[in-house]
């Protein structure tokens, strides 16, 4: 099992082990103007809370209550849509909040920058490939930057709340950066201008944190 350096909180509630909606370490309005406060409030407080509750309902009373979220994703029965959508939604948003910061933006450094340069030739090429994957994902989904063998990095995208840790979805590796391109992530502020939201996302990426996740999953 690969390590991650952010935690998925699980607590005993009503005698069952339940996943918890993570607390953000920044306020809803602190990502403005790139992501507006109302979007953050609904996205975290309603959407992510919904995935968390539905995940807990889906595993309630089953042996999965004792499993980690990574184990659940890796061993998922892909025909179990309640578990697939909500385990993915729970995990994906945990990563998403974790790699954003009011003081984010700029460029990566350290091992991550070296690997980006090796895998994509330059940061600009990576940004272009990642942005294209996010812009061209039809309908709802995510674009990802994932670690592969020897620390190589690849970009891919998934539909709905699928996650690269799930098998057989044509997008694999360990996700270290992800952008939510569901309309609920940007529509209040950007309407149909998804490319503008993708550009704005780059002003919020906490590259030190992405580098930490990268290093801990080599
Ligand atoms: Mn979302």
């Amino acid at each position: 099992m690969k390590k991650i350096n952010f935690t998925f909180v699980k607590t005993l509630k009503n005698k069952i082990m339940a996943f918890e909606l993570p607390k953000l370490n920044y306020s809803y309005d602190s990502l403005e103007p790139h992501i507006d406060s109302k979007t953050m409030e609904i996205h975290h407080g309603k959407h992510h809370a919904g995935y968390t509750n539905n995940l807990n309902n889906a595993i309630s009373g089953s042996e999965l209550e004792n499993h980690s979220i990574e184990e659940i994703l890796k061993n998922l029965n892909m025909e179990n849509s309640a578990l697939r959508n909500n385990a993915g939604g729970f995990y994906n948003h945990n990563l998403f909040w974790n790699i954003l910061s009011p003081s984010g933006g700029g460029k990566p450094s350290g091992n991550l920058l070296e690997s980006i340069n090796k895998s994509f030739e330059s940061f600009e090429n990576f940004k272009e490939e990642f942005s294209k994957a996010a812009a061209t994902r039809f309908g709802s989904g995510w674009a990802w930057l994932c670690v592969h063998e020897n620390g190589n990095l690849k970009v891919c995208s998934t539909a709905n709340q699928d996650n690269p840790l799930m098998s057989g979805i044509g997008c694999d590796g360990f996700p270290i950066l992800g952008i939510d391109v569901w309309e609920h992530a940007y529509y209040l502020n950007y309407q149909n201008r998804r490319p503008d939201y993708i550009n704005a996302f780059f002003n919020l990426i906490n590259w030190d944190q992405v580098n930490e996740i990268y290093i801990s999953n080599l």
Side-chain angles (χ1 to χ4, degrees):
M1 177 65 66
K2 289 188 169 187
K3 292 178 295 173
I4 50 166
N5 78 337
F6 58 102
T7 49
F8 294 95
V9 180
K10 221 175 172 186
T11 51
L12 199 60
K13 258 188 196 165
N14 301 325
K15 296 186 184 168
I16 64 161
M17 287 301 289
F19 289 103
E20 275 200 1
L21 180 68
K23 290 189 170 61
L24 304 185
N25 55 18
Y26 43 82
S27 62
Y28 286 153
D29 63 1
S30 64
L31 303 183
E32 292 194 349
H34 309 296
I35 299 178
D36 64 282
S37 183
K38 192 70 182 171
T39 295
M40 285 301 296
E41 183 187 332
I42 298 169
H43 200 175
H44 176 261
K46 303 291 182 195
H47 290 278
H48 196 187
Y51 296 123
T52 307
N53 288 337
N54 292 333
L55 167 62
N56 286 328
N57 290 336
I59 63 173
S60 174
S62 78
E63 56 158 17
L64 293 175
E65 270 180 23
N66 300 313
H67 290 212
S68 70
I69 188 64
E70 293 87 354
E71 288 169 339
I72 291 173
L73 293 178
K74 286 180 179 177
N75 300 303
L76 195 60
N77 171 1
M78 296 296 272
E79 291 179 10
N80 183 342
S81 56
L83 193 56
R84 178 178 179 172
N85 293 336
N86 293 297
F90 174 74
Y91 185 101
N92 296 347
H93 290 86
N94 269 272
L95 176 62
F96 188 59
W97 309 134
N98 202 260
I99 52 87
L100 297 178
S101 166
S103 55
K107 286 171 74 168
S109 59
N111 293 38
L112 178 61
L113 180 61
E114 270 178 42
S115 185
I116 284 177
N117 286 335
K118 197 173 152 208
S119 304
F120 302 96
E121 295 186 355
S122 68
F123 175 73
E124 287 68 30
N125 280 1
F126 152 72
K127 185 178 175 184
E128 192 181 328
E129 189 176 330
F130 184 86
S131 299
K132 189 178 172 194
T136 57
R137 163 51 55 188
F138 184 75
S140 298
W142 293 72
W144 305 99
L145 177 65
C146 297
V147 188
H148 288 254
E149 293 300 312
N150 305 317
N152 285 331
L153 294 164
K154 289 183 189 173
V155 163
C156 61
S157 80
T158 55
N160 303 316
Q161 294 296 353
D162 285 352
N163 176 287
L165 296 176
M166 297 174 181
S167 38
I169 56 168
C171 172
D172 57 3
F174 190 90
I176 62 170
L177 175 72
I179 180 171
D180 187 344
V181 295
W182 282 58
E183 287 186 346
H184 70 223
Y186 63 86
Y187 209 83
L188 290 182
N189 201 20
Y190 295 95
Q191 295 84 47
N192 62 325
R193 292 174 283 117
R194 188 191 285 185
D196 290 352
Y197 157 70
I198 296 166
N199 268 330
F201 169 80
F202 272 86
N203 294 319
L204 297 172
I205 300 173
N206 181 346
W207 285 113
D208 289 342
Q209 176 66 350
V210 181
N211 189 38
E212 287 292 311
I213 301 171
Y214 174 69
I215 290 167
S216 62
N217 288 285
L218 284 175

